[in-house]
Short mmCIF file of all heavy atoms in Angstrom, two decimals:
data_model
loop_
_atom_site.label_atom_id
_atom_site.label_comp_id
_atom_site.label_asym_id
_atom_site.label_seq_id
_atom_site.Cartn_x
_atom_site.Cartn_y
_atom_site.Cartn_z
N GLU A 52 -13.28 6.92 -1.92
CA GLU A 52 -12.96 5.49 -1.93
C GLU A 52 -13.14 4.88 -0.55
O GLU A 52 -13.04 5.56 0.46
CB GLU A 52 -11.54 5.24 -2.42
CG GLU A 52 -10.45 5.64 -1.45
CD GLU A 52 -9.07 5.22 -1.93
OE1 GLU A 52 -8.59 5.82 -2.89
OE2 GLU A 52 -8.50 4.29 -1.34
N MET A 53 -13.39 3.59 -0.57
CA MET A 53 -13.44 2.77 0.65
C MET A 53 -12.53 1.59 0.40
O MET A 53 -12.40 1.12 -0.73
CB MET A 53 -14.86 2.24 0.90
CG MET A 53 -15.81 3.26 1.41
SD MET A 53 -17.47 2.59 1.77
CE MET A 53 -17.29 0.84 1.80
N GLY A 54 -11.91 1.11 1.48
CA GLY A 54 -11.03 -0.04 1.30
C GLY A 54 -10.81 -0.80 2.58
O GLY A 54 -11.34 -0.45 3.64
N TRP A 55 -10.05 -1.83 2.47
CA TRP A 55 -9.61 -2.61 3.62
C TRP A 55 -8.22 -3.13 3.32
O TRP A 55 -7.81 -3.22 2.16
CB TRP A 55 -10.57 -3.76 3.92
CG TRP A 55 -10.65 -4.77 2.81
CD1 TRP A 55 -11.54 -4.78 1.79
CD2 TRP A 55 -9.77 -5.87 2.58
NE1 TRP A 55 -11.28 -5.83 0.95
CE2 TRP A 55 -10.19 -6.52 1.41
CE3 TRP A 55 -8.66 -6.39 3.26
CZ2 TRP A 55 -9.55 -7.65 0.90
CZ3 TRP A 55 -8.03 -7.52 2.74
CH2 TRP A 55 -8.48 -8.14 1.58
N GLU A 56 -7.50 -3.46 4.37
CA GLU A 56 -6.16 -4.01 4.20
C GLU A 56 -5.94 -5.06 5.28
O GLU A 56 -6.25 -4.83 6.45
CB GLU A 56 -5.13 -2.88 4.34
CG GLU A 56 -3.72 -3.29 4.01
CD GLU A 56 -2.80 -2.09 3.93
OE1 GLU A 56 -2.27 -1.71 4.99
OE2 GLU A 56 -2.61 -1.56 2.82
N ALA A 57 -5.42 -6.22 4.90
CA ALA A 57 -5.02 -7.26 5.85
C ALA A 57 -3.53 -7.10 6.07
O ALA A 57 -2.76 -7.06 5.11
CB ALA A 57 -5.33 -8.64 5.28
N ARG A 58 -3.14 -6.96 7.33
CA ARG A 58 -1.72 -6.79 7.69
C ARG A 58 -1.26 -8.03 8.43
O ARG A 58 -1.87 -8.43 9.42
CB ARG A 58 -1.54 -5.53 8.53
CG ARG A 58 -1.96 -4.29 7.75
CD ARG A 58 -1.85 -3.03 8.57
NE ARG A 58 -2.33 -1.91 7.77
CZ ARG A 58 -2.56 -0.71 8.26
NH1 ARG A 58 -2.33 -0.47 9.54
NH2 ARG A 58 -2.99 0.26 7.47
N PHE A 59 -0.18 -8.61 7.96
CA PHE A 59 0.33 -9.85 8.51
C PHE A 59 1.48 -9.58 9.48
O PHE A 59 1.94 -8.45 9.60
CB PHE A 59 0.77 -10.77 7.38
CG PHE A 59 -0.36 -11.14 6.45
CD1 PHE A 59 -0.68 -10.33 5.38
CD2 PHE A 59 -1.13 -12.26 6.69
CE1 PHE A 59 -1.73 -10.64 4.54
CE2 PHE A 59 -2.20 -12.58 5.86
CZ PHE A 59 -2.49 -11.77 4.78
N ALA A 60 1.95 -10.61 10.15
CA ALA A 60 3.07 -10.48 11.10
C ALA A 60 4.32 -10.00 10.36
O ALA A 60 4.55 -10.38 9.21
CB ALA A 60 3.34 -11.82 11.77
N PRO A 61 5.13 -9.15 11.02
CA PRO A 61 6.35 -8.64 10.38
C PRO A 61 7.29 -9.77 9.95
O PRO A 61 7.34 -10.83 10.57
CB PRO A 61 7.01 -7.80 11.47
CG PRO A 61 5.91 -7.46 12.40
CD PRO A 61 4.95 -8.61 12.35
N ARG A 62 8.03 -9.50 8.88
CA ARG A 62 8.99 -10.47 8.35
C ARG A 62 10.31 -9.78 8.11
O ARG A 62 10.35 -8.60 7.78
CB ARG A 62 8.46 -11.07 7.06
CG ARG A 62 7.20 -11.87 7.28
CD ARG A 62 6.49 -12.17 5.99
NE ARG A 62 5.19 -12.74 6.28
CZ ARG A 62 4.92 -14.04 6.19
NH1 ARG A 62 5.84 -14.87 5.81
NH2 ARG A 62 3.73 -14.48 6.46
N ARG A 63 11.37 -10.51 8.25
CA ARG A 63 12.71 -9.96 8.04
C ARG A 63 13.10 -10.14 6.58
O ARG A 63 13.08 -11.25 6.05
CB ARG A 63 13.70 -10.68 8.95
CG ARG A 63 15.10 -10.30 8.67
CD ARG A 63 15.91 -9.67 9.77
NE ARG A 63 15.22 -8.80 10.67
CZ ARG A 63 15.47 -8.76 11.97
NH1 ARG A 63 16.35 -9.56 12.50
NH2 ARG A 63 14.84 -7.92 12.74
N ILE A 64 13.47 -9.05 5.92
CA ILE A 64 13.94 -9.09 4.54
C ILE A 64 15.38 -8.60 4.55
O ILE A 64 15.65 -7.40 4.61
CB ILE A 64 13.07 -8.23 3.61
CG1 ILE A 64 11.61 -8.71 3.69
CG2 ILE A 64 13.58 -8.30 2.18
CD1 ILE A 64 10.65 -7.91 2.86
N PRO A 65 16.35 -9.51 4.52
CA PRO A 65 17.75 -9.15 4.74
C PRO A 65 18.40 -8.26 3.68
O PRO A 65 19.34 -7.55 3.98
CB PRO A 65 18.46 -10.50 4.83
CG PRO A 65 17.54 -11.47 4.20
CD PRO A 65 16.15 -10.93 4.33
N PHE A 66 17.94 -8.27 2.44
CA PHE A 66 18.63 -7.50 1.40
C PHE A 66 18.24 -6.02 1.41
O PHE A 66 18.79 -5.23 0.66
CB PHE A 66 18.43 -8.11 0.01
CG PHE A 66 17.00 -8.22 -0.44
CD1 PHE A 66 16.34 -7.15 -0.99
CD2 PHE A 66 16.32 -9.42 -0.29
CE1 PHE A 66 15.03 -7.25 -1.40
CE2 PHE A 66 15.00 -9.54 -0.69
CZ PHE A 66 14.35 -8.45 -1.25
N LEU A 67 17.30 -5.62 2.28
CA LEU A 67 16.92 -4.21 2.40
C LEU A 67 17.80 -3.51 3.44
O LEU A 67 18.40 -4.18 4.28
CB LEU A 67 15.45 -4.10 2.82
CG LEU A 67 14.42 -4.56 1.79
CD1 LEU A 67 13.03 -4.48 2.38
CD2 LEU A 67 14.51 -3.73 0.52
N PRO A 68 17.87 -2.18 3.41
CA PRO A 68 18.63 -1.47 4.45
C PRO A 68 18.11 -1.86 5.84
O PRO A 68 16.94 -2.17 6.01
CB PRO A 68 18.33 0.01 4.17
CG PRO A 68 17.90 0.05 2.75
CD PRO A 68 17.27 -1.28 2.44
N ARG A 69 18.99 -1.82 6.85
CA ARG A 69 18.68 -2.31 8.19
C ARG A 69 17.37 -1.74 8.76
O ARG A 69 16.58 -2.46 9.34
CB ARG A 69 19.82 -2.01 9.15
CG ARG A 69 19.63 -2.66 10.51
CD ARG A 69 20.83 -2.45 11.37
NE ARG A 69 21.58 -3.53 11.90
CZ ARG A 69 21.49 -4.83 11.74
NH1 ARG A 69 20.61 -5.32 10.94
NH2 ARG A 69 22.27 -5.68 12.34
#
Side-chain angles (χ1 to χ4, degrees):
E52 72 174 71
M53 286 182 15
W55 63 268
E56 188 171 87
R58 298 177 183 169
F59 299 87
R62 296 166 189 257
R63 173 120 325 142
I64 302 178
F66 59 82
L67 292 176
R69 188 175 239 4

